[in-house]
Amino acid sequence: FRLPYDHWKDLVHELDNYDNFKAWKRGTLDCCFQKASPIELLALGALRTLGRGTTFDSLEEMTFISERTHRRFLKKFIKYGSTVLYQRYVRYPINSSQADIHMREFTAAGLPGNVCSTDATNIIMRCCKFAVRQVHSGFKLKKTARTFNVSSNHRRYILHSTPGHPSTFNDE
């Protein structure tokens, strides 16, 4: 995830004002009357985990915030991304004039009528529970992963994504 600094600042501001992240709101104290972990570091940790598969123990070494806190934050961040951010940024064309906008590159390439390209994106799960390890171990990666089928145009505009499923459910 390469996010311009201004966009990252906007994201942190949104997270700071969103109710699900109130445990890490600036100025909040935890049950032991200690200052809450900085939401800026937790947001960077979440993006690094999603983008590079960084483990929680590595994040703890980098930020001095516990693995447990990073894990709790990431769960809420994923929920936020799959609801709030998904609704804001993922737009499937609903009429022909909207579809025409996305068909330009395909028409120029000799593929008129195509709206998007679709492919599976695998997100590696390093800390998968043993009980579900088998179903998440795909034959392509040989690692546990979740698969998302993403449809986008060639300007990196996401038009659709599945909610995600164990990697063995894909390409069988």
Side-chain angles (χ1 to χ4, degrees):
F1 285 78
R2 289 176 175 83
L3 194 61
Y5 182 68
D6 291 337
H7 293 221
W8 177 78
K9 283 186 350 185
D10 293 341
L11 176 65
V12 169
H13 180 70
E14 282 184 42
L15 297 176
D16 200 32
N17 293 316
Y18 194 70
D19 283 343
N20 286 356
F21 298 100
K22 64 183 173 189
W24 300 286
K25 189 171 178 70
R26 289 185 190 98
T28 303
L29 300 177
D30 65 13
C31 61
C32 299
F33 302 104
Q34 300 292 320
K35 278 178 43 176
S37 300
I39 199 164
E40 295 87 355
L41 289 178
L42 292 168
L44 286 173
L47 291 172
R48 191 162 185 96
T49 299
L50 293 172
R52 294 196 174 171
T54 303
T55 58
F56 295 123
D57 60 337
S58 294
L59 289 175
E60 182 175 14
E61 291 174 6
M62 288 187 264
T63 63
F64 298 105
I65 299 172
S66 74
E67 291 179 44
R68 182 176 177 271
T69 301
H70 278 289
R71 186 177 296 110
R72 282 181 46 229
F73 185 86
L74 182 65
K75 285 181 181 179
K76 291 181 183 288
F77 187 79
I78 289 172
K79 180 75 172 169
Y80 176 78
S82 64
T83 55
V84 176
L85 295 178
Y86 183 91
Q87 290 172 2
R88 185 180 306 155
Y89 294 111
V90 178
R91 297 278 183 252
Y92 196 74
I94 56 173
N95 58 42
S96 62
S97 64
Q98 288 179 359
D100 288 341
I101 295 167
H102 302 292
M103 283 195 261
R104 288 185 188 139
E105 289 88 1
F106 292 102
T107 303
L111 301 166
N114 286 341
V115 177
C116 60
S117 295
T118 301
D119 199 5
T121 300
N122 298 301
I123 307 295
I124 295 174
M125 297 171 51
R126 290 213 165 101
C127 298
C128 186
K129 291 183 180 180
F130 185 78
V132 294
R133 185 172 296 275
Q134 178 79 26
V135 76
H136 284 84
S137 296
F139 65 92
K140 286 184 178 177
L141 290 175
K142 305 295 184 219
K143 295 180 181 181
T144 54
R146 300 272 305 162
T147 299
F148 298 82
N149 292 317
V150 178
S151 300
S152 65
N153 67 15
H154 289 276
R155 285 171 270 141
R156 299 181 183 161
Y157 189 85
I158 298 172
L159 303 175
H160 186 271
S161 174
T162 60
H165 50 273
S167 61
T168 55
F169 293 6
N170 196 56
D171 294 338
E172 288 185 343

